[in-house]
Amino acid sequence: MKTISTAKSHGGIQGVYAHHSTACACEMTFAVFLPPRSGAKPLPVLWYLSGLTCTHQNVMDKGEYRRLAAELGMIIVCPDTSPRGQTVPDEPDNWQFGCGAGFYLDATQAPFSANYRMYTYLTEELPALIASEFPVDMDRQGIFGHSMGGHGALTLALKNAGRFRSCSAFAPIVHPSTAHWSTDAFTKYLGEDQAAWRIYDAVSLIEDGKRFPEFLVDQGSADSFLDNGLQPWLLETACKDAGIPLTLNMREGYDHSYHFISTFMDDHLNWHAQRLAV
């Protein structure tokens, strides 16, 4: 691991780091906010997954999480959204696929299967690195995200319910198998057989028997992607049928941007803090 930058913020340290990823076969960059800490007690960790076109930088610059994370004593880890580099296959003119659009899955189709292995990266490789380099309590992990990252948070939580104590999302893609901006990516990453898509689809995972204790979702009513891309009512139905408690807050007049996310960031941090026993 190498340090790209560090800066003091709210008594803690916001760092940006890079390392060579075996899972993604390229250099990966991630951010970690380490709050002020007294003593040797390890701290809970909250993972934030960003959306389409984003990197670790977007939430760092616009998410407004550091003040409260410092007060609560929570480490915030912000991975990148996909592999990157000259050797990584990409479609530069397609913002819904390739670099910036990894969808937090393990691709099975060539040539993307060599690098687009974000699920393995986030469930195995990066957690091992974080555990070795930072004072984290890996028994107290939560996960949240925005849009494509909300999709990632929901699916990672459902598939790893014993690892995460809490999960929330801002405007998540809840059913990517039917969303207009993810079906093309799923076809290219996973192939034509839609049965293979179900393990990376929150609604399908719930329908297929996966469970999580509860979810928190915030969704803006003025989000231009609401009807064709996000469809939170599908998650609401799936959770109701499965008996999974879901708090779905429809936020009147809010859009898909970080103006929306930053407005309700404190609500999500406090919600996770309660469940991580901060």
Side-chain angles (χ1 to χ4, degrees), residues 10 55 66 68 73 94-95 98 114 164 176 180:
H10 296 283
T55 69
R66 280 176 287 267
L68 185 55
N94 183 0
W95 65 275
F164 298 107
H180 77 284

Side-chain angles (χ1 to χ4, degrees), residues 108-151:
T108 59
Q109 304 299 300
F112 310 107
S113 55
N115 301 98
Y116 288 84
R117 303 182 67 240
M118 289 298 293
Y119 180 79
T120 293
Y121 178 67
L122 288 175
T123 57
E124 298 178 15
E125 187 173 17
L126 187 57
L129 180 64
I130 296 295
S132 68
E133 298 288 342
F134 298 94
V136 294
D137 182 349
M138 298 301 277
D139 290 328
R140 291 191 292 164
Q141 295 187 69
I143 190 166
F144 68 149
H146 170 232
S147 193
M148 179 186 73
H151 138 78

Side-chain angles (χ1 to χ4, degrees), residues 133-192:
E133 298 288 342
F134 298 94
V136 294
D137 182 349
M138 298 301 277
D139 290 328
R140 291 191 292 164
Q141 295 187 69
I143 190 166
F144 68 149
H146 170 232
S147 193
M148 179 186 73
H151 138 78
L154 292 171
T155 57
L156 264 69
L158 284 163
K159 295 172 71 172
N160 299 273
R163 172 177 298 185
F164 298 107
R165 291 192 185 183
S166 57
C167 177
S168 72
F170 300 100
I173 307 172
V174 304
H175 198 16
S177 297
T178 62
H180 77 284
W181 55 2
S182 48
T183 53
D184 180 60
F186 271 41
T187 301
K188 292 175 182 176
Y189 287 138
L190 301 172
E192 298 282 350

Side-chain angles (χ1 to χ4, degrees), residues 4-23:
I4 295 176
S5 67
T6 59
K8 189 170 183 177
S9 179
H10 296 283
I13 298 295
Q14 177 65 71
V16 179
Y17 309 92
H19 71 116
H20 177 78
S21 167
T22 301

